């Protein structure tokens, strides 16, 4: 996380979510690699295109996308969470100069003032219009699905087996061209620490966190769920599933081998990310973060803190006893009788 902290800029960070309709989610389970990849590409292309449009922002933005495939009840619900800095570079690497500035500069030097690069910031608490994003996302995603089907990259089984033919697949997509696709823009993160907290909490979690597990035995697994359609205390409830059904739902979210859950696009793409962050800091007139202090010989001689191999927390010595002797301390039994490593 220290590396991620060094990449954060002193600007608001927006949180945008692109969700596939339920009809596409059904066939995505049978075509994870193809449709998840299309979801990544269609959502990022949508953001980059609309942000570059001078009618909206007129800037080249950077995006960190995180794929989630689950809802609160661990059903199959593919969607992409995006973390986006509030602004970017103008698409051609320069910023326009006003006619007045150009005339003033040409009067002094005899030459028109050349455009200079600058950071283009978003409006406070507003990034891009979600309705515009939704329409373009729908078109791009349907185009990618049609192309994948024509190239023979999609497979269909069970009740979807009839979609192998072009007429059937075209008919299947037709209602989705008129349906509204949901793009949700959440409130900006309150600060860089909140961005880091989100990344550390969600980027490597799969389906369910240990803290939501309440009970497990031969009859079922009980865990906390959240109903997003309800507000107030009734929003949070519990669900108990048969052990086999619980395992089935967890396995729904295993990604294809080699598939990456996190992707960076725009000026945060891996190839030029380091240079672009330096450029952004210069334009924002911000100094780069200070490097971590070098460890002194005195500090190196201090015994390293013991960390827990499960959670990474610091472990404290509560008792020392001789080899073969029983410890006097007895830990209290845990209330949670199971543990699933979802890292």
């Amino acid at each position: 996380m220290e590396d991620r902290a060094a990449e954060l800029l002193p600007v608001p960070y927006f949180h945008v979510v692109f969700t596939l309709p339920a009809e596409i989610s059904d066939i995505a389970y049978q075509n994870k690699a193809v449709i998840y990849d299309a979801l990544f590409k269609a959502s990022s292309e949508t953001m980059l295109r609309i942000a570059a449009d001078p009618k909206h922002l007129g800037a080249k933005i950077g995006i960190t996308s995180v794929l989630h495939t689950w809802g609160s009840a661990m059903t199959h619900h593919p969607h992409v969470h995006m973390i986006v800095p509030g602004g970017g570079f103008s698409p051609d690497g320069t910023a326009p100069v006003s006619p007045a500035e150009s005339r003033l500069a040409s009067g002094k030097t005899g030459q028109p003032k050349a455009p200079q690069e600058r950071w283009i910031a978003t409006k406070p608490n507003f990034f891009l219009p979600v309705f515009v994003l939704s329409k373009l996302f729908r078109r791009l995603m349907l185009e990618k699905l049609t192309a994948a089907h024509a190239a023979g990259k999609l497979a269909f089984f069970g009740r979807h087996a009839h979609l192998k033919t072009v007429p059937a697949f075209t008919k299947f997509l037709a209602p989705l061209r008129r349906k509204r696709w949901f793009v949700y823009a959440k409130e900006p993160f309150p600060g860089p620490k909140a961005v880091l907290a989100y990344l550390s909490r969600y980027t490597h979690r799969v389906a369910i966190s240990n803290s939501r597990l309440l009970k497990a035995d031969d009859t079922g697994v009980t865990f906390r769920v959240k109903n997003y359609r309800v507000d107030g205390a009734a929003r949070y409830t519990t669900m108990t599933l048969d052990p086999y059904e619980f395992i089935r739902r967890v396995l729904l979210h295993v990604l294809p081998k080699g598939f990456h859950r996190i992707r960076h696009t725009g000026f945060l793409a891996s190839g030029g990310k380091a240079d672009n962050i330096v450029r952004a800091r210069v334009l924002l007139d911000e100094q780069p973060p200070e490097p971590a202090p070098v460890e002194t010989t005195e500090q190196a001689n201090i015994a390293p803190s013991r960390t827990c191999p499960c959670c990474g927390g610091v472990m404290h010595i509560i008792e020392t006893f001789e080899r073969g002797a029983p410890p006097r301390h007895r830990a209290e039994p845990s209330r949670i009788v199971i543990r699933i490593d979802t890292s």
Side-chain angles (χ1 to χ4, degrees), residues 74-93:
M74 295 195 297
T75 51
H76 192 233
H77 178 60
H79 55 289
V80 163
H81 290 255
M82 289 184 169
I83 301 170
V84 193
F89 309 110
S90 52
D92 59 357

Side-chain angles (χ1 to χ4, degrees), residues 40 67 255-256 258-263:
F40 264 126
L67 173 68
L255 295 179
F259 195 92
H260 295 284
R261 187 183 300 280
I262 306 172
R263 296 188 184 182

Side-chain angles (χ1 to χ4, degrees), residues 172-295:
F172 171 77
L173 294 182
L176 297 175
R177 301 184 186 279
R178 300 183 297 272
K179 181 177 181 178
R180 182 181 177 186
W181 291 36
F182 285 96
V183 177
Y184 180 51
K186 297 189 175 185
E187 293 181 1
F189 288 99
K193 289 185 179 179
V195 177
L196 285 178
Y198 174 85
L199 287 171
S200 63
R201 190 166 60 244
Y202 290 112
T203 53
H204 298 291
R205 193 185 75 187
V206 178
I208 188 170
S209 62
N210 296 334
S211 60
R212 289 176 55 200
L213 300 171
L214 302 176
K215 179 185 176 183
D217 53 32
D218 293 340
T219 62
V221 180
T222 302
F223 56 97
R224 281 191 291 267
V225 295
K226 183 191 296 184
N227 187 344
Y228 291 94
R229 295 182 177 86
V230 178
D231 293 323
R235 190 176 200 183
Y236 299 91
T237 182
T238 61
M239 175 179 288
T240 300
L241 297 176
D242 175 85
Y244 292 102
E245 172 61 14
F246 180 85
I247 294 172
R248 186 191 73 84
R249 293 197 187 188
V250 171
L251 294 179
L252 284 175
H253 311 291
V254 175
L255 295 179
K257 186 176 181 180
F259 195 92
H260 295 284
R261 187 183 300 280
I262 306 172
R263 296 188 184 182
H264 305 278
T265 49
F267 72 74
L268 291 178
S270 300
K273 177 165 64 174
D275 291 339
N276 288 331
I277 289 174
V278 171
R279 286 171 57 203
R281 292 192 189 283
V282 170
L283 296 176
L284 291 165
D285 195 25
E286 192 218 22
Q287 298 297 321
E290 294 183 6
V294 180
E295 190 178 51

Side-chain angles (χ1 to χ4, degrees), residues 15-270:
H15 187 177
V16 185
V17 183
F18 286 79
T19 303
L20 288 179
E23 297 87 341
I24 304 298
S25 298
D26 288 344
I27 63 172
Y29 178 66
Q30 299 176 352
N31 301 274
K32 288 183 176 182
V34 176
I35 295 184
Y36 292 171
D37 181 66
L39 171 59
F40 264 126
K41 290 178 178 177
S43 56
S44 60
E45 189 176 339
T46 296
M47 291 285 284
L48 293 171
R49 281 197 195 182
I50 301 301
D53 189 336
K55 291 187 297 184
H56 300 293
L57 183 61
K60 180 180 179 180
I61 60 172
I63 306 168
T64 295
S65 302
V66 184
L67 173 68
H68 284 191
T69 60
W70 56 87
S72 184
M74 295 195 297
T75 51
H76 192 233
H77 178 60
H79 55 289
V80 163
H81 290 255
M82 289 184 169
I83 301 170
V84 193
F89 309 110
S90 52
D92 59 357
T94 62
V97 177
S98 68
E101 288 180 312
S102 182
R103 286 194 300 270
L104 181 62
S106 61
K108 293 179 180 179
T109 64
Q111 297 293 331
K113 184 178 180 180
Q116 294 182 357
E117 185 178 39
R118 67 181 175 89
W119 178 267
I120 301 176
T122 58
K123 297 176 182 178
N125 297 322
F126 179 80
F127 189 56
L128 294 170
V130 292
F131 183 69
V132 176
L133 293 172
S134 174
K135 290 180 67 176
L136 181 56
F137 172 56
R138 177 181 62 190
R139 178 167 69 82
L140 293 177
M141 191 67 200
L142 290 175
E143 286 176 357
K144 293 181 187 302
L145 289 173
T146 302
H149 189 277
K153 294 180 179 179
L154 299 179
F156 302 99
F157 307 96
R159 62 190 179 94
H160 295 300
H162 68 287
L163 296 179
K164 294 177 182 178
T165 66
V166 173
F169 192 66
T170 302
K171 184 179 179 181
F172 171 77
L173 294 182
L176 297 175
R177 301 184 186 279
R178 300 183 297 272
K179 181 177 181 178
R180 182 181 177 186
W181 291 36
F182 285 96
V183 177
Y184 180 51
K186 297 189 175 185
E187 293 181 1
F189 288 99
K193 289 185 179 179
V195 177
L196 285 178
Y198 174 85
L199 287 171
S200 63
R201 190 166 60 244
Y202 290 112
T203 53
H204 298 291
R205 193 185 75 187
V206 178
I208 188 170
S209 62
N210 296 334
S211 60
R212 289 176 55 200
L213 300 171
L214 302 176
K215 179 185 176 183
D217 53 32
D218 293 340
T219 62
V221 180
T222 302
F223 56 97
R224 281 191 291 267
V225 295
K226 183 191 296 184
N227 187 344
Y228 291 94
R229 295 182 177 86
V230 178
D231 293 323
R235 190 176 200 183
Y236 299 91
T237 182
T238 61
M239 175 179 288
T240 300
L241 297 176
D242 175 85
Y244 292 102
E245 172 61 14
F246 180 85
I247 294 172
R248 186 191 73 84
R249 293 197 187 188
V250 171
L251 294 179
L252 284 175
H253 311 291
V254 175
L255 295 179
K257 186 176 181 180
F259 195 92
H260 295 284
R261 187 183 300 280
I262 306 172
R263 296 188 184 182
H264 305 278
T265 49
F267 72 74
L268 291 178
S270 300

